[in-house]
Amino acid sequence: LRALLRAAAHGKLRVMIPFINNLAEVKEAKAILEDVRQSLIRESVTIGQVQFGIMIELPAAALLVDILAQEVDFLSIGTNDLIQYSLGVDRANPNVAYLYAAEHPAILRLIQHVLDKVPTAESHVSMCGEMAGYPHSVPLLIGMGLRTLSVSPTAIPLVKAMIRELTLP
């Protein structure tokens, strides 16, 4: 965190905390960041401001997102883990990996819940994970209200082309 705050003096920086499942964890992470910031100020180290965000990758965080969003500058829906933990499927286990389904109705409802509870105008919501780059998911995600997708470099040209073809209301 010291290095991140020092680097923020030279440009825009965002810090995102993974695997959050309750408000106390968000507050604790923010308090730690503030303690480090105050320590650097006392040492007269030049620092910059950072935006603070969390990953929504656990079902608990998705269901509490309206409360958690009040404490952060941005959110990212982490689909790989959200799908795995919501469906109870180890995507790396070949015996059950076929049950890992990005477009399972429960997953789509969790994503829509996040988007409904946290309007993008109030808190920036993005998505990362493989689902953000699945060609069949992109129109659905854009239609649900997502406007920022983080995808692997190899998926960028296809995702950009797909988005350019969409017509938004």
Side-chain angles (χ1 to χ4, degrees), residues 30-134:
K30 285 177 66 175
I32 292 168
L33 182 62
E34 181 58 23
D35 287 347
V36 172
R37 190 178 82 74
Q38 291 301 322
S39 174
L40 289 168
I41 289 170
R42 284 191 300 276
E43 296 171 24
S44 300
V45 174
T46 302
I47 60 173
Q49 293 296 318
V50 298
Q51 288 187 320
F52 181 84
I54 59 172
M55 290 284 289
I56 303 297
E57 54 197 335
L58 297 175
L63 294 171
L64 296 174
V65 72
D66 53 329
I67 296 165
L68 301 177
Q70 295 174 29
E71 295 289 327
V72 300
D73 300 310
F74 66 96
L75 305 161
S76 183
I77 303 169
T79 59
N80 293 351
D81 289 319
L82 184 63
I83 296 165
Q84 178 167 306
Y85 292 112
S86 296
L87 300 180
V89 174
D90 179 358
R91 66 183 183 266
N93 180 334
N95 295 319
V96 294
Y98 70 94
L99 296 170
Y100 181 90
E103 284 147 3
H104 187 287
I107 301 305
L108 298 177
R109 290 181 87 175
L110 280 173
I111 292 168
Q112 191 65 63
H113 174 79
V114 170
L115 297 172
D116 289 346
K117 294 292 183 179
V118 185
T120 55
E122 294 174 22
S123 180
H124 182 73
V125 179
S126 63
M127 176 180 283
C128 63
E130 294 176 20
M131 184 179 183
Y134 290 162

Side-chain angles (χ1 to χ4, degrees), residues 137-154:
S137 295
V138 171
L140 176 63
L141 296 171
I142 298 296
M144 292 172 79
L146 273 165
R147 295 297 179 264
T148 305
L149 303 172
S150 176
V151 300
S152 67
T154 57

Side-chain angles (χ1 to χ4, degrees), residues 132-133 135 138-139 142 149 151 154-167:
V138 171
I142 298 296
L149 303 172
V151 300
T154 57
I156 292 172
L158 178 60
V159 170
K160 282 177 74 171
M162 291 183 73
I163 291 172
R164 287 185 178 129
E165 296 296 319
L166 296 176
T167 303

